[in-house]
Amino acid sequence: MENEVLITYAKKAMENAYAPYSRFSVGAALLTREGEIFTGCNVENASYGASICAERCAAMKAVSEGYTSFVKIAVVSDSGEYTYPCGICRQFLAEFMENGSVVLEDKNGKIREYSLAELLPHTFVLLTD
């Protein structure tokens, strides 16, 4: 899957962001191992803790449809700067995205790609044995 395609999906998703408090709209497009794309946008709430980031929105949509193995996620914002996933999103994605990557684009159309391991080098793992 070309990074540009995922960026396009993420930009379209960003149009639906609900960000009346931060005025910071974010869109994400997630590629599953099976080749499906799920999108998400940030949805804020007056009770800030109830807000959801675009990355987790996309991931929850995928999981709710039975997809639990992710290859790549693209993230964009209306800031025009590279918008990296927050710490919670990085940890959340790590549950489903082993060896996956994060794709970012700035206002000049320059794309950067990082492995999730680069962005979250010491993932928390719950030992169940």
Side-chain angles (χ1 to χ4, degrees):
M1 174 67 54
E2 293 295 323
N3 290 342
E4 292 81 6
V5 172
L6 282 179
I7 293 288
T8 299
Y9 274 90
K11 286 178 179 177
K12 182 68 176 162
M14 182 177 63
E15 295 173 10
N16 295 324
Y18 179 74
Y21 307 103
S22 71
R23 306 262 190 253
F24 185 72
S25 296
V26 181
L30 178 72
L31 177 64
T32 68
R33 187 142 329 274
E34 296 82 4
E36 298 294 323
I37 297 173
F38 290 89
T39 61
C41 61
N42 58 318
V43 180
E44 296 179 350
N45 190 276
S47 171
Y48 294 133
S51 297
I52 186 84
C53 298
E55 299 91 330
R56 285 181 288 141
C57 178
M60 286 186 225
K61 287 169 67 176
V63 171
S64 72
E65 295 297 321
Y67 297 91
T68 58
S69 184
F70 309 154
V71 175
K72 190 178 285 195
I73 189 166
V75 184
V76 298
S77 76
D78 62 359
S79 74
E81 302 299 323
Y82 295 115
T83 302
Y84 296 83
C86 73
I88 291 172
C89 287
R90 293 175 197 199
Q91 180 62 45
F92 192 92
L93 290 169
E95 186 89 7
F96 307 101
M97 200 172 186
E98 187 175 347
N99 301 318
S101 62
V102 177
V103 178
L104 311 170
E105 184 186 60
D106 71 4
K107 63 186 169 213
N108 299 315
K110 186 174 178 187
I111 294 175
R112 290 184 178 174
E113 184 170 355
Y114 300 90
S115 72
L116 185 58
E118 286 179 276
L119 299 179
L120 184 64
H122 301 285
T123 305
F124 173 76
V125 178
L126 185 63
L127 301 176
T128 57
D129 293 322

